[in-house]
Amino acid sequence: GHAEWPNLLDGDAIPDESLERCITNAKVASTNWLLFTLYYFQMLVAYLFDDIELAIKMGEKYIDLDESLHRSHKGFVLLSELKFLYCLTSLAYARNTKEGIWEKHGHESMERVRKLAKDYPSSYQHKLLLLEAESAFNAGNKC
């Protein structure tokens, strides 16, 4: 990218509009799927660029959206991925801030991913192992 701020979905990633303008337009037009997609991918990009605070903010906005949309098939897939990413982000935030509430959020999300790993092992078992390793690292286990 040629974006001024690589941790934001902006520049070439969203031509002609900023992320905030896209989110505002999606809210006005009541296009929750666009909001789902924007929040999820902004969370992912922010996490990848180590902007954990922005990732947390986007994850919480996603979670606050209409619960009925989470129950559809597409919503289930995206919400399942969000559970994993929110856990990973919460554990990173706990490590950065030393605030126990984020470790708690991470462990609550990990339980959801644990259920997904049980039900869909080929899609979530490896993600659960990564989360368990992150949690162990936070607890001081280096091996």
Side-chain angles (χ1 to χ4, degrees), residues 14 18 23 29 67 80 82 84 87 108 116 119 128 134-135:
I14 300 180
S18 70
I23 289 171
E67 284 288 324
S80 298
L82 179 102
F84 163 73
C87 181
E108 288 169 354
L116 289 166
D119 295 341
L128 177 60
E134 287 290 320
S135 180

Side-chain angles (χ1 to χ4, degrees), residues 86 90 93-94 97-108:
Y86 190 72
S90 294
Y93 203 54
T97 65
K98 308 292 188 234
E99 294 177 14
I101 188 70
W102 294 107
E103 193 76 29
K104 182 180 179 209
H105 285 307
H107 286 281
E108 288 169 354

Side-chain angles (χ1 to χ4, degrees), residues 1-15 45 49:
H2 300 286
E4 184 177 343
W5 303 99
N7 61 326
L8 296 176
L9 287 177
D10 204 352
D12 292 340
I14 300 180
V45 169
F49 282 92

Side-chain angles (χ1 to χ4, degrees), residues 30-125:
S30 296
T31 53
N32 285 332
W33 276 113
L34 179 57
L35 284 173
F36 269 9
T37 304
L38 289 170
Y39 290 151
Y40 172 76
F41 283 106
Q42 178 59 78
M43 183 181 185
L44 179 61
V45 169
Y47 177 82
L48 291 174
F49 282 92
D50 200 32
D51 189 344
I52 304 302
E53 286 186 41
L54 178 59
I56 289 286
K57 180 180 171 185
M58 292 295 113
E60 289 176 344
K61 284 185 176 191
Y62 181 103
I63 290 167
D64 289 342
L65 288 175
D66 185 358
E67 284 288 324
S68 66
L69 294 171
H70 295 196
R71 288 189 286 271
S72 72
H73 177 69
K74 288 180 186 175
F76 174 78
V77 172
L78 204 51
L79 185 60
S80 298
E81 288 300 309
L82 179 102
K83 288 174 185 177
F84 163 73
L85 187 56
Y86 190 72
C87 181
L88 196 59
T89 303
S90 294
L91 292 173
Y93 203 54
R95 184 170 49 252
N96 291 348
T97 65
K98 308 292 188 234
E99 294 177 14
I101 188 70
W102 294 107
E103 193 76 29
K104 182 180 179 209
H105 285 307
H107 286 281
E108 288 169 354
S109 294
M110 193 182 316
E111 287 308 310
R112 294 180 189 115
V113 175
R114 191 176 313 283
K115 181 173 180 356
L116 289 166
K118 181 179 177 242
D119 295 341
Y120 310 100
S122 62
S123 296
Y124 288 96
Q125 185 63 41

